Amino acid sequence: MHSSERLLEIAVPTPLRRSFHYLPPDELPADTKPGCRFRVPFGSKSLIGILIGYTEESNTPLEKLRRAEKLLDPKPILPEAILKLCLWSADYYHHPVGDVLASAIPVLLRKGKPGQQVSHRLIATKKGKETDQSSLQRAPLQKAALTLLVRQMNGYDRKQLKAAGISSATIQALIRKGLVRRQEMTAPVTAFSLNKVNSENIMLTSEQEVALNSIGDHGTWLIQGITGSGKTEIYLRAIEKILRKNFQALVLVPEIGLTPQTVQRFSNRFDVPVVLLHSGLTDQERLNAWRMASSGQAGIVIGTRSAVFTPLARPGMIVVDEEHDASLKQHDGFRYSARDLAVLRGQFEHIPVLLGSATPSLESLNNAWTGKYTSVQLRHRPVDIAKESYQIINLRNRETRDGFSKPLIRLIEQHLQSGSQVLIFLNRRGFAPVLHCPECHWTANCHRCDARMTFHLHGQRLLCHHCGNENPMPQYCEQCHAGNLLLLGIGTQKIEDRLKILFPGVRVLRIDRDSTRRKGSLNSMLAELASGGPLILVGTQMIAKGHHFSEVTLSVIVDIDSSFYSTDFKAMERMGQLILQVGGRSGRSGKAGHVAIQSHFPDQPVLKQLIREGYTQFAKNLLQERRDNNLPPFCHQALIRAESKSRTRALEFLEELSANERSSPRVDLLGPVPSTMEKREGFYRAQLLFSSTSRRILHAELDLRIKFAENSKLARKVRWSIDVDPVDLY
Ligand code: ADP
Ligand code: ZN
Ligand code: ZN
């Protein structure tokens, strides 16, 4: 090798927090750019990695450097901005760069499939065009084929030729004679035709006009507007503007499957290709959608979390809908926040980013109020749907049966009698969360988790919601063998059961993970709801998102009290978001929505303030509390979690880790402590929390701890991970 040879710096999919150096393969085009895939030897394997840069020097001695086998892409599969986003993420989330890049691309690209849809066309060569066709006098089929190809500058593909009655043998003969050649073609990228904009005859309100006009060429906008205030309409109008300039839009949503109506509005509005990227796709479908986006063919790309890494050939705008939603943060492996990365991507690509929510996260509100984001407010609903009213039903000194108090039953009755629908929210699926022995107070627990087993009617089984563990319902107490076991607590199935007794003859629909397992069942229930008539809908989180149920005039939150017991500093923020999200599902023109919340703490000040003064005031106060207590967003946090099959090892590892000297007095360590649910899926879990007012200092500290961990013998006996800006602190 020449000592002047440039070395390739390649991110290889391994759990190691580093990239690797390789000698270039033979015949590497000089203009090969970072973002291209290479096949490289790794240990005894051959893996596909991504070039992230070049280097002249390496810590690895020259004689030990191995040569990359092969370049796989003629041009980068990841454009500069996306590569930069990935490298930034690997750094910020302290996650192995190879794994970050692997998670950023579709599975089939990891396996080496081409990054572009290529088709082969047959084209007449120069010689073919100039040749005297009489020389083909004795091969009339070849002559006919050549005549056809000469006339068509861009040639034809095999299918078209076959349709014209030309066989492959004929073509092969022409290729051998040098009269025709095969050429790889990528689908042409054309300007978007916006001939049909189906604007649903909507005239923007002046409030919406102001909002839309405030959106500029780059920067971040926080669009705060109650449900039904026309946020989606703003996204659509803003996207229309950028489509007219032939740019593409990326729209991130928490869960596509739950909100088919929203997706439909995007695809019905414009006659440009719209592609969806979500977990329900096959590998091939995902690759196709990715190619449509990255080649520039798709006008709108709608996707969940991981779509934030999808390349766009002509990026124009990013929209993050329901920006407060916890599912925008990845909860395992590479724990990134798709919302935060969307904002960063917007900066890298110099395009506008719209964050929208009825109940923005406190971080985003803080960013808007400190001027980092432009704040846009929609205070009114364009169609005359009255704002819903909220009421707390005091449960103190009041009996309930299976979750229903008397006043609640009366309220439901009234709404049903007036011909409308009622929505009942309870975020606990199954029938009863506790199986209890009244003799010895034994409860049925999961042996793999510190959690109770939930009784499910279907199959009469006990199910652990944390690990999926399943047991038949026992007849006798495991401890004292008494036979009179009791089912305590309420789940959606019990609510459904009770409603059928309370309101015989009224249709009850239940939407939760159990009732929607069958494909199409969610959609058919949504259709039944939309068709009207008195009906009660019971559901979990799944009904709190995105939908608008126009026939519902009463939303009920059966139980809010667990928020008041939570030790998580985000519990109140979540409670407020949940109440308003559930509340916002109801109401239609002419009939105002009504929201009833049952609580033993009707005077809880935060709850009262939310209802009386609205979300903004509520959020202001919570932010003030966060500031006073030095909590995010006024400090930055990271968690190191560890888990092990042995009861003590995870904790021991974290103790060893925390015993090391801090890099700066400006970092606070909390713990290590066992996790709230210490045992889960057979693993004992513990955690160590780092916080600092300086991001830079926090990250330096994490770098240091990772070094310790990588040299620790104990670390090899546990599974450990880092979560930067954790959403869940358990
Ligand atoms: P959000 O996303 O804030 O919940 P949407 O954009 O979905 O609100 O608007 C709610 C409903 O109001 C939709 O049915 C939408 O078509 C309609 N809408 C939005 N803007 C207007 C407007 N300016 N005039 C009439 N209807 C509108
Ligand atoms: Zn379990
Ligand atoms: Zn017992």
Side-chain angles (χ1 to χ4, degrees):
M1 83 155 260
H2 335 269
S3 54
S4 63
E5 208 167 13
R6 282 191 307 178
L7 300 176
L8 309 178
E9 188 176 350
I10 291 187
V12 182
T14 72
L16 298 169
R17 285 183 170 76
R18 49 166 296 199
S19 55
F20 295 85
H21 293 155
Y22 286 91
L23 297 168
D26 306 326
E27 291 176 43
L28 183 69
D31 60 349
T32 302
K33 290 209 176 68
C36 287
R37 288 170 301 168
F38 280 80
R39 187 166 272 292
V40 293
F42 194 81
S44 59
K45 285 186 277 192
S46 161
L47 297 177
I48 292 175
I50 295 182
L51 179 67
I52 57 175
Y54 289 98
T55 177
E56 316 260 280
E57 279 169 46
S58 175
N59 292 335
T60 316
L62 273 183
E63 62 278 9
K64 286 222 173 130
L65 280 173
R66 301 172 77 178
R67 198 169 281 283
E69 291 160 21
K70 195 173 162 204
L71 169 68
L72 299 182
D73 298 302
K75 54 180 222 189
I77 56 163
L78 294 179
E80 212 180 314
I82 302 296
L83 187 61
K84 193 169 156 194
L85 187 68
C86 291
L87 299 182
W88 187 94
S89 304
D91 212 42
Y92 182 80
Y93 293 107
H94 299 267
H95 195 74
V97 64
D99 195 51
V100 168
L101 282 159
S103 8
I105 60 176
V107 171
L108 291 179
L109 290 184
R110 280 177 238 164
K111 294 186 175 161
K113 283 264 176 101
Q116 281 176 302
Q117 184 74 53
V118 284
S119 58
H120 291 102
R121 296 181 79 84
L122 296 143
I123 294 179
T125 58
K126 190 155 178 278
K127 185 175 165 200
K129 283 178 197 149
E130 288 165 0
T131 200
D132 178 4
Q133 297 207 354
S134 60
S135 68
L136 292 173
Q137 214 58 282
R138 295 175 53 199
L141 288 174
Q142 289 178 29
K143 187 176 169 206
L146 186 62
T147 311
L148 199 66
L149 287 169
V150 165
R151 279 199 213 122
Q152 178 66 30
M153 207 174 60
N154 289 329
Y156 292 102
D157 63 26
R158 275 224 189 279
K159 249 203 212 136
Q160 292 168 320
L161 290 174
K162 208 172 211 162
I166 295 165
S167 72
S168 333
T170 309
I171 296 296
Q172 285 308 328
L174 287 169
I175 291 176
R176 271 196 304 276
K177 290 179 183 164
L179 303 175
V180 167
R181 66 186 165 87
R182 265 160 61 97
Q183 178 163 316
E184 275 193 0
M185 303 273 267
T186 49
V189 175
T190 50
F192 298 126
S193 69
L194 276 187
N195 300 324
K196 278 190 286 164
V197 175
N198 174 17
S199 61
E200 305 168 34
N201 289 327
I202 287 176
M203 287 266 297
L204 291 190
T205 62
S206 53
E207 199 178 45
Q208 283 173 314
E209 284 286 357
V210 170
L212 183 65
N213 290 331
S214 82
I215 298 168
D217 287 342
H218 55 87
T220 306
W221 280 260
L222 178 64
I223 304 178
Q224 181 186 359
I226 53 171
T227 38
S229 62
K231 293 183 297 295
T232 310
E233 190 57 38
I234 303 283
Y235 308 154
L236 287 163
R237 299 290 173 127
I239 289 173
E240 178 176 343
K241 285 190 186 175
I242 69 116
L243 287 173
R244 287 196 189 284
K245 294 186 210 157
N246 272 312
F247 290 120
Q248 301 167 275
L250 173 66
V251 181
L252 299 181
V253 294
E255 272 154 288
I256 284 183
L258 292 186
T259 51
Q261 305 102 319
T262 307
V263 171
Q264 212 141 49
R265 259 174 89 193
F266 281 88
S267 45
N268 288 347
R269 177 69 56 108
F270 313 110
D271 53 352
V272 300
V274 174
V275 297
L276 302 184
L277 283 159
H278 58 89
S279 58
L281 301 179
T282 64
D283 288 349
Q284 188 59 48
E285 286 167 339
R286 175 170 287 272
L287 178 62
N288 292 346
W290 187 93
R291 282 170 170 169
M292 291 277 289
S294 100
S295 66
Q297 285 164 290
I300 303 177
V301 179
I302 306 179
T304 43
R305 194 167 61 212
S306 67
V308 72
F309 296 107
T310 308
L312 301 176
R314 2 179 203 172
M317 174 173 285
I318 305 177
V319 175
V320 183
D321 193 23
E322 308 291 356
E323 67 84 36
H324 66 280
D325 200 287
S327 69
L328 287 165
K329 172 100 199 238
Q330 170 99 9
H331 287 276
D332 49 18
F334 169 30
R335 294 169 166 83
Y336 61 94
S337 155
R339 185 216 31 227
D340 294 350
L341 290 184
V343 170
L344 193 71
R345 177 173 174 173
Q347 288 167 18
F348 289 172
E349 293 187 321
H350 304 288
I351 57 175
V353 178
L354 312 186
L355 308 178
S357 175
T359 53
S361 62
L362 295 189
E363 308 87 271
S364 294
L365 280 175
N366 190 51
N367 283 331
W369 292 339
T370 54
K372 251 177 145 177
Y373 300 166
T374 308
S375 174
V376 176
Q377 307 244 358
L378 298 175
R379 292 192 177 82
H380 309 283
R381 286 183 175 143
V383 265
D384 66 359
I385 302 171
K387 258 186 99 167
E388 66 276 8
S389 62
Y390 289 80
Q391 164 192 3
I392 302 173
I393 297 178
N394 184 0
L395 290 187
R396 203 176 295 154
N397 308 323
R398 213 174 238 144
E399 254 183 70
T400 60
R401 181 142 179 215
D402 295 343
F404 292 91
S405 62
K406 282 240 168 70
L408 176 60
I409 297 172
R410 270 199 303 278
L411 204 55
I412 296 175
E413 220 160 45
Q414 284 164 14
H415 283 262
L416 290 174
Q417 267 161 13
S418 71
S420 28
Q421 300 176 344
V422 174
L423 177 155
I424 299 186
F425 172 86
L426 177 71
N427 207 15
R428 200 181 301 123
R429 64 195 176 93
F431 186 82
V434 185
L435 179 67
H436 176 252
C437 169
E439 308 296 329
C440 74
H441 301 297
W442 168 85
T443 56
N445 291 342
C446 176
H447 66 270
R448 306 176 62 207
C449 309
D450 288 332
R452 297 214 172 94
M453 301 285 277
T454 300
F455 176 70
H456 281 246
L457 280 181
H458 182 76
Q460 302 277 311
R461 299 179 76 74
L462 292 176
L463 211 87
C464 173
H465 288 178
H466 302 282
C467 72
N469 188 12
E470 241 187 86
N471 289 326
M473 166 87 162
Q475 294 301 308
Y476 303 99
C477 170
E478 266 181 27
Q479 202 162 271
C480 76
H481 303 284
N484 50 341
L485 297 179
L486 294 176
L487 286 167
L488 303 180
I490 45 172
T492 47
Q493 290 177 352
K494 189 180 251 180
I495 295 274
E496 180 187 12
D497 237 38
R498 189 79 204 143
L499 284 167
K500 285 179 174 161
I501 298 167
L502 287 169
F503 306 101
V506 177
R507 177 97 168 120
V508 180
L509 292 179
R510 175 168 56 86
I511 294 186
D512 57 25
R513 258 211 288 146
D514 301 311
S515 73
T516 53
R517 212 150 268 163
R518 211 164 29 81
K519 212 177 167 181
S521 53
L522 175 63
N523 279 346
S524 79
M525 282 195 270
L526 292 177
E528 188 175 345
L529 272 155
S531 69
L535 179 158
I536 307 174
L537 169 66
V538 185
T540 54
Q541 200 67 33
M542 287 180 79
I543 57 170
K545 292 183 186 181
H547 305 283
H548 190 75
F549 304 118
S550 59
E551 304 294 314
V552 170
T553 56
L554 172 66
S555 299
V556 177
I557 297 172
V558 178
D559 170 25
I560 199 72
D561 292 350
S562 54
S563 314
F564 305 132
Y565 300 122
S566 175
T567 52
D568 187 339
F569 74 87
K570 291 192 172 167
M572 285 296 148
E573 176 185 359
R574 289 219 190 95
M575 175 199 74
Q577 289 166 343
L578 181 75
I579 289 176
L580 297 191
Q581 291 289 340
V582 172
R585 302 303 123 212
S586 64
R588 62 172 158 166
S589 45
K591 278 188 181 177
H594 195 86
V595 185
I597 304 161
Q598 296 195 121
S599 174
H600 287 90
F601 308 96
D603 297 322
Q604 214 284 342
V606 181
L607 179 61
K608 266 170 83 173
Q609 188 189 33
L610 173 74
I611 288 170
R612 289 206 186 134
E613 297 166 45
Y615 189 76
T616 301
Q617 201 51 44
F618 162 85
K620 264 196 187 127
N621 274 14
L622 288 187
L623 265 173
Q624 188 56 46
E625 240 174 68
R626 298 260 187 105
R627 191 195 302 271
D628 295 343
N629 293 299
N630 217 349
L631 287 166
F634 305 101
C635 82
H636 307 288
Q637 292 185 327
L639 263 184
I640 297 190
R641 294 193 180 87
E643 55 181 36
S644 155
K645 292 241 167 169
S646 128
R647 185 177 281 276
T648 54
R649 206 168 279 152
L651 209 52
E652 277 164 23
F653 162 66
L654 292 180
E655 262 154 19
E656 180 193 78
L657 201 61
S658 66
N660 291 296
E661 195 70 33
R662 272 178 300 172
S663 65
S664 157
R666 288 183 56 198
V667 184
D668 289 322
L669 261 70
L670 197 71
V673 290
S675 306
T676 313
M677 185 194 292
E678 185 176 11
K679 190 174 163 199
R680 185 169 176 164
E681 290 192 64
F683 283 85
Y684 292 88
R685 312 174 314 145
Q687 62 188 40
L688 177 60
L689 180 69
F690 296 82
S691 59
S692 175
T693 49
S694 154
R695 258 197 223 285
R696 193 181 52 76
I697 289 174
L698 176 70
H699 285 273
E701 181 68 32
L702 289 174
D703 280 332
L704 191 73
R705 302 284 157 175
I706 289 167
K707 276 218 187 73
F708 288 134
E710 283 175 344
N711 292 316
S712 151
K713 285 207 179 81
L714 264 173
R716 271 164 244 156
K717 297 184 185 156
V718 303
R719 300 202 298 216
W720 63 278
S721 61
I722 297 188
D723 190 351
V724 177
D725 305 329
V727 166
D728 287 306
L729 287 178
Y730 55 77

